[in-house]
Amino acid sequence: MVMTCAVAAATAVWLAMSGLPDPRRIGAWSVPGRSRRGRFGRLLAGRTDALSLPIRAVAGLLVCAVVALALPDLGQVPVWRVAPGAVLGVGVLLGLGWIEPPSTRHDRERQRSQLPGTLDLLAAALAAGCAARVAAAEVAAVSPEPSRTALSSVVAETGVGRSDADAWHSLASSTRWQEVWGPVGRDLARSARDGVPVEEVLRVQARRARQSRQAALERRARAVGVSSVLPLMVCFLPAFIAVGVVPIVLGLALHYL
């Protein structure tokens, strides 16, 4: 068993030092004519913002080693100690790839809070006669992060020769920005392609984003009362039992004894 754990630890160190292949290439051993990335490759790759594959592999191997050491001996067959740890290790390897990092959630919340004001500024710049790329550059210069990065990516793409429609479509399809900026990017891409004015559309979207943000804050405020029930119960229930229940039970016990 010690030898198994030593091999697992050595493998973990080797993976951490040498790294693993690009997860986008895993699953590329597919049949010609099919997608170059199989289901296993997509499952193993996980989210684009998840922990790297070597770190997840090290975590899975450590879980496997800890579980194997914690289980009691079941005869002379070591596989009964290694198999449960291996299953849990694979679960950790795959599960960590699909857990949303707190930084991603915080980044998305900041995008949503900044979106209404940013859209108002874009609509005002477009209404003043600025082109879409000029409006994006001017608004990016006065916007906080992460809105500055979103608009700067559009400005950077147009600066290297891409069309406005392609730059806004790229923003709308980006993994980081599509959830919040997707509708805006598609509208601005359509406007750049067809020449349709979108000032009023941006103002409507800003109003809807502001209303959606307010509704989300109200839901979060109402949920505070529900989520605080368990901590309050954990704090006050022992005191209630010690002060109100225990004396009665002891009194009855002393009376009948």
Side-chain angles (χ1 to χ4, degrees):
M1 195 60 235
V2 175
M3 182 63 67
T4 302
C5 295
V7 171
T11 306
V13 173
W14 176 79
L15 289 173
M17 296 298 294
S18 62
L20 291 177
D22 187 350
R24 296 181 180 86
R25 297 183 180 180
I26 297 176
W29 320 287
S30 54
V31 179
R34 296 185 181 180
S35 173
R36 290 181 56 83
R37 187 180 179 188
R39 293 182 179 179
F40 178 74
R42 292 192 296 269
L43 180 63
L44 186 60
R47 299 170 54 95
T48 56
D49 54 357
L51 293 173
S52 64
L53 193 56
I55 294 178
R56 288 186 278 138
V58 170
L61 288 171
L62 289 178
V63 169
C64 176
V66 170
V67 173
L69 287 173
L71 289 177
D73 287 324
L74 297 176
Q76 300 298 325
V77 186
V79 70
W80 294 113
R81 301 183 67 181
V82 178
V87 172
L88 290 177
V90 172
V92 169
L93 170 65
L94 299 179
L96 289 178
W98 293 99
I99 296 177
E100 182 182 54
S103 58
T104 300
R105 185 164 54 252
H106 181 62
D107 181 78
R108 185 172 60 249
E109 289 299 322
R110 287 194 299 168
Q111 292 180 42
R112 287 174 176 167
S113 64
Q114 298 170 7
L115 183 63
T118 305
L119 294 183
D120 286 336
L121 290 176
L122 280 174
L126 292 173
C130 295
R133 64 177 64 185
V134 177
E138 294 297 329
V139 175
V142 297
S143 297
E145 292 292 346
S147 298
R148 181 194 301 269
T149 302
L151 296 176
S152 297
S153 66
V154 176
V155 176
E157 291 197 15
T158 56
V160 296
R162 298 195 67 183
S163 65
D164 290 357
D166 291 339
W168 287 108
H169 181 72
S170 177
L171 178 69
S173 59
S174 173
T175 304
R176 179 181 179 183
W177 310 111
Q178 63 183 354
E179 185 171 349
V180 178
W181 281 89
V184 179
R186 286 188 291 269
D187 286 341
L188 289 173
R190 183 170 58 252
S191 171
R193 184 175 57 252
D194 302 334
V196 179
V198 292
E199 294 88 351
E200 186 59 30
V201 175
L202 289 178
R203 296 188 188 277
V204 171
Q205 288 184 346
R207 184 166 58 252
R208 290 178 178 175
R210 195 171 282 111
Q211 293 172 351
S212 176
R213 176 68 176 172
Q214 183 66 27
L217 292 177
E218 291 178 356
R219 288 195 301 270
R220 187 179 301 175
R222 287 194 297 267
V224 171
V226 178
S227 59
S228 61
V229 170
L230 182 59
L232 289 176
M233 183 179 66
V234 171
C235 292
F236 289 103
L237 187 59
F240 171 75
I241 294 175
V243 175
V245 177
V246 173
I248 297 175
V249 173
L250 289 179
L252 292 174
L254 292 175
H255 176 73
Y256 287 103
L257 290 178

